[in-house]
Amino acid sequence: MIVGVPTEVKDSELRVGMTPVGVRELRDRGHTVLVQAGAGVGSGFPDDDYRAAGARIAPSAETTWGEADLVVKVKEPVASEFPHLRGDLTLFAYLHLAAVPRLTRALLDAGTTAIAYETVQLPDRSLPLLAPMSEIAGRLSVQAGAHHLMAPSGGRGILPGGVPGTPRASVVVIGGGVAGTNAAEMAVGLGAHVTVIDTSLPRLRQLDERFAGRVDTRVSTRTAIAEAVAGADLVIGSVLIPGAAAPKLVTLDMVEGMRPGSVLVDIAVDQGGCFEGTRPTTYSDPTYRVHGSVYYAVANMPGAVPLTSTLALTNATLPFTLALAEGADAALDRDAALRAGLSTANGEVVDPRITP
């Protein structure tokens, strides 16, 4: 099979869909790998590294997409990439179709077989291809939040851990999954006062044990969220419903009651966001104000650390990519986890959570 790895084109997206190690694994199994010229440079992988691993360097996106049977990338195709979609192509990437109906329509019109990283699901309900980026996004969310809490960045000028004789920042994490847990770890490490809110009491028990009482835990209700947000300096939204749009848990009324200069970081922006008023931003213009607060809603947060992100992503995706390269239909038939990621095929929506 011919596997294509195009250059990512979203704003400030420096990740690449495969490392040279991944290329070598595919080549060792007899597959051809096309890597678009310069695709890995932002992640620290020059073209020569891919050549040494056995890849053919393609001069353009048109060649990479056009010759490939299977395209492996990071982010969902944007409008400029829609013309590359076609009926005999399998696409393996983050798609987040619930939040991007225009892309859903493009995939259906082209008849592309599209498999979403974020909905590949193991029998224990874990999401192995979303987890590494959730870990990174969770950690970055607190770094970004701390930066934007500084007065020159528009925040209220509070240090997360304070110093003796001053208050610590109050950090509220909504959602105690992979991203939320990593956000809590970073916030605790900075010395902040941390509250985690989740719908699952068993999960809250796990977090209480994990953090040995260093975080407060609350069951998610509208009242609990409103009370916690009202006193927060930094709110991290890390709510996930696999394959579906995120619920709006923080309302504009809640935001209006927050302290001026407080910061809200919406990790769930790829799925539409869990704060009312969220709209996707980019690293070139990451924030905007809602009432007196700062919203940070960069839709490709892990793209800021492309070396770490690309290595972590390929570690997770490579076994599935190797299976797909042997034949997508057979791989989907054999592997229920991979089949759970199937979003569109033959001009039809396969995942019932997606609205055409």
Side-chain angles (χ1 to χ4, degrees):
M1 183 175 284
I2 301 176
V3 180
V5 183
T7 300
E8 300 293 324
V9 297
K10 288 197 76 168
D11 183 279
S12 303
E13 183 52 74
L14 300 176
R15 290 174 289 180
V16 63
M18 189 176 299
T19 63
V21 169
V23 169
R24 186 172 297 280
E25 291 294 316
L26 284 161
R27 288 288 295 138
D28 286 348
R29 289 163 173 77
H31 304 294
T32 298
V33 184
L34 299 179
V35 177
Q36 186 177 341
V41 171
S43 294
F45 303 117
D47 290 348
D48 284 346
D49 287 0
Y50 286 105
R51 287 193 185 93
R56 177 158 64 89
I57 303 302
S60 65
E62 288 74 18
T63 302
T64 308
W65 285 84
E67 294 188 21
D69 305 301
L70 168 65
V71 164
V72 177
K73 66 192 306 292
V74 182
K75 292 300 290 179
E76 71 280 355
V78 299
S80 64
E81 295 173 301
F82 291 176
H84 300 312
L85 301 173
R86 61 182 199 273
D88 60 347
L89 177 71
T90 298
L91 172 65
F92 195 33
Y94 290 115
L95 297 176
H96 301 289
L97 295 181
V100 195
R102 186 182 178 194
L103 173 57
T104 304
R105 177 46 52 192
L107 291 167
L108 294 177
D109 289 345
T112 301
T113 297
I115 303 166
Y117 291 160
E118 71 273 11
T119 53
V120 171
Q121 191 168 46
L122 297 176
D124 65 0
R125 301 185 62 80
S126 64
L127 304 167
L129 307 190
L130 185 61
M133 296 304 100
S134 294
E135 290 170 342
I136 293 168
R139 297 182 183 201
L140 286 175
S141 69
V142 175
Q143 291 184 196
H147 174 79
H148 289 284
L149 277 173
M150 294 192 296
S153 299
R156 66 186 304 255
I158 187 170
L159 186 68
V163 295
T166 71
R168 297 177 292 159
S170 173
V171 178
V172 174
V173 180
I174 304 175
V178 175
T181 299
N182 278 269
E185 285 183 343
M186 290 292 287
V188 167
L190 290 176
H193 179 275
V194 181
T195 300
V196 180
I197 301 174
D198 197 88
T199 58
S200 169
L201 192 56
R203 180 57 182 162
L204 293 178
R205 289 194 180 99
Q206 291 173 352
L207 291 170
D208 186 65
E209 181 178 352
R210 177 171 183 159
F211 289 104
R214 291 176 296 164
V215 303
D216 292 336
T217 57
R218 299 192 66 179
V219 172
S220 181
T221 64
R222 183 183 177 89
T223 299
I225 292 171
E227 290 176 352
V229 165
D233 299 296
L234 171 60
V235 179
I236 307 294
S238 57
V239 175
L240 173 68
I241 300 176
K248 303 296 185 185
L249 298 181
V250 176
T251 67
L252 290 176
D253 285 343
M254 294 178 192
V255 176
E256 188 174 13
M258 294 179 71
R259 299 183 181 108
S262 56
V263 176
L264 297 96
V265 179
D266 200 337
I267 299 175
V269 62
D270 280 323
Q271 294 294 113
C274 61
F275 304 151
E276 193 174 3
T278 287
R279 56 177 173 80
T281 63
T282 65
Y283 273 113
S284 59
D285 188 17
T287 64
Y288 57 95
R289 285 197 173 270
V290 176
H291 297 303
S293 297
V294 177
Y295 269 45
Y296 181 100
V298 173
N300 59 327
M301 288 181 65
V305 286
L307 176 56
T308 298
S309 295
T310 295
L311 289 169
L313 182 60
T314 299
N315 287 344
T317 59
L318 185 57
F320 295 97
T321 301
L322 292 172
L324 288 168
E326 297 296 333
D329 290 342
L332 289 164
D333 285 341
R334 286 193 307 267
D335 191 336
L338 190 60
R339 192 162 60 249
L342 184 61
S343 299
T344 67
N346 302 315
E348 296 183 356
V349 171
V350 178
D351 189 331
R353 296 165 293 193
I354 298 169
T355 302

